[in-house]
Amino acid sequence: MQYKLLLVEDDEDLAVHLSKYLQIRGFFTGLAGDGQRARQCLAEGPYDLVLVDIMMPGEDGFSLAAHLKKSYPQLPFLFLSARNQKEDILKGLGLGADDYMIKPFDAEELVLRIHNILRRSIGVIAEMERYDLGTYQFRFNDLMLIGTSGEKVLTEKEGKLLKMLCLRKNHLLNRAEVLHELWGEPDFFNGRSLDVFISRLRKYLSDDPGIRIESIRGVGFRLREV
């Protein structure tokens, strides 16, 4: 498995060289030069770990860390900073960072620390039900649908319906089974409600033309990924 790292660093030379080294060591590495760009990257696709500088133009690393803990509570991150004062280190760790490394640092040591963090978080990651749908990722545990245009929090019933479709991806999902599972009674009105929910999911997934929910009249639905 190739882990995806997001390196948030405004020093372009350091960012490029460190990114190349991490790629040599087997990681996919995305780059962001400031906090705003980092937020955009996180919204566009899932990452397994974020490396955060503190002193950056605009939003600093501490503010970005607070955003990470609020919006991506399961996502581990560590600080890479020239700020070596005890109060800065304690503040960083207090914000929930998994580690704090002081510049200049040894790149090989950084890789070892990254692996340690990923090993610690793998249990949490394994428990997170995640489904990849083209350019989307659906996290059932927190009902989060993440796509290129941002994030959408689903209702509980929308999430359960999308999970059923994901589990049967490219195969028929029987309409009566969905009604029994989610509504308890396959009557006319519940059937109309199901059609409304299917329409909503189609709208949520509309940014990716390779993903579609097909209706098989009177029988059920099929989530297709082409």
Side-chain angles (χ1 to χ4, degrees):
M1 177 180 180
Q2 185 181 40
Y3 290 103
K4 293 182 65 176
L5 312 180
L6 178 62
L7 174 59
V8 189
E9 170 62 63
D10 68 319
D11 184 328
E12 187 174 348
D13 288 339
L14 174 60
V16 170
H17 285 93
L18 182 55
S19 174
K20 289 180 178 179
Y21 178 78
L22 291 170
Q23 289 175 23
I24 291 172
R25 296 300 298 267
F27 298 102
F28 171 87
T29 308
L31 295 177
D34 54 46
Q36 182 178 3
R37 177 56 186 155
R39 291 180 183 236
Q40 294 173 351
C41 290
L42 290 166
E44 290 168 359
Y47 286 86
D48 297 296
L49 184 143
V50 184
L51 300 93
V52 185
D53 185 22
I54 293 177
M55 295 182 290
M56 296 184 294
E59 182 179 27
D60 67 13
F62 289 143
S63 175
L64 178 60
H67 170 71
L68 290 174
K69 293 306 294 183
K70 179 180 179 181
S71 301
Y72 307 92
Q74 306 293 347
L75 179 62
F77 67 94
L78 65 89
F79 284 110
L80 302 175
S81 178
R83 295 173 65 162
N84 59 4
Q85 297 298 311
K86 180 180 179 179
E87 53 266 29
D88 291 322
I89 298 172
L90 292 177
K91 181 176 181 178
L93 296 175
L95 286 168
D98 293 83
D99 209 336
Y100 189 113
M101 293 191 69
I102 298 171
K103 298 176 182 178
F105 51 82
D106 181 81
E108 188 173 349
E109 180 184 351
L110 172 62
V111 169
L112 290 175
R113 295 197 184 200
I114 289 172
H115 279 299
N116 286 338
I117 293 171
L118 291 172
R119 275 196 295 270
R120 290 197 300 269
S121 66
I122 197 168
V124 174
I125 293 172
E127 293 174 3
M128 177 69 73
E129 290 189 66
R130 305 196 305 189
Y131 302 92
D132 294 320
L133 300 169
T135 57
Y136 292 92
Q137 183 188 88
F138 172 46
R139 302 198 313 240
F140 177 71
N141 300 64
D142 55 6
L143 300 174
M144 185 76 73
L145 182 64
I146 304 170
T148 55
S149 60
E151 302 173 353
K152 173 70 178 177
V153 180
L154 307 184
T155 67
E156 183 178 0
K157 193 159 287 186
E158 288 172 344
K160 288 181 177 179
L161 176 57
L162 183 54
K163 177 181 176 179
M164 293 181 75
L165 288 164
C166 289
L167 291 173
R168 301 282 185 85
K169 187 166 65 175
N170 295 320
H171 296 280
L172 177 68
L173 177 62
N174 187 272
R175 182 182 183 89
E177 179 183 347
V178 178
L179 287 169
H180 176 76
E181 179 70 24
L182 300 186
W183 277 270
E185 184 68 34
D187 62 22
F188 173 79
F189 295 104
N190 289 336
R192 293 294 298 272
S193 294
L194 171 56
D195 292 333
V196 171
F197 275 77
I198 289 291
S199 295
R200 288 181 191 171
L201 293 182
R202 285 185 177 127
K203 181 179 179 181
Y204 300 158
L205 298 168
S206 61
D207 284 344
D208 187 343
I211 298 292
R212 61 177 182 264
I213 301 174
E214 300 174 341
S215 293
I216 296 85
R217 187 175 180 84
V219 180
F221 310 95
R222 182 184 293 115
L223 176 64
R224 292 288 300 273
E225 183 174 4
V226 296

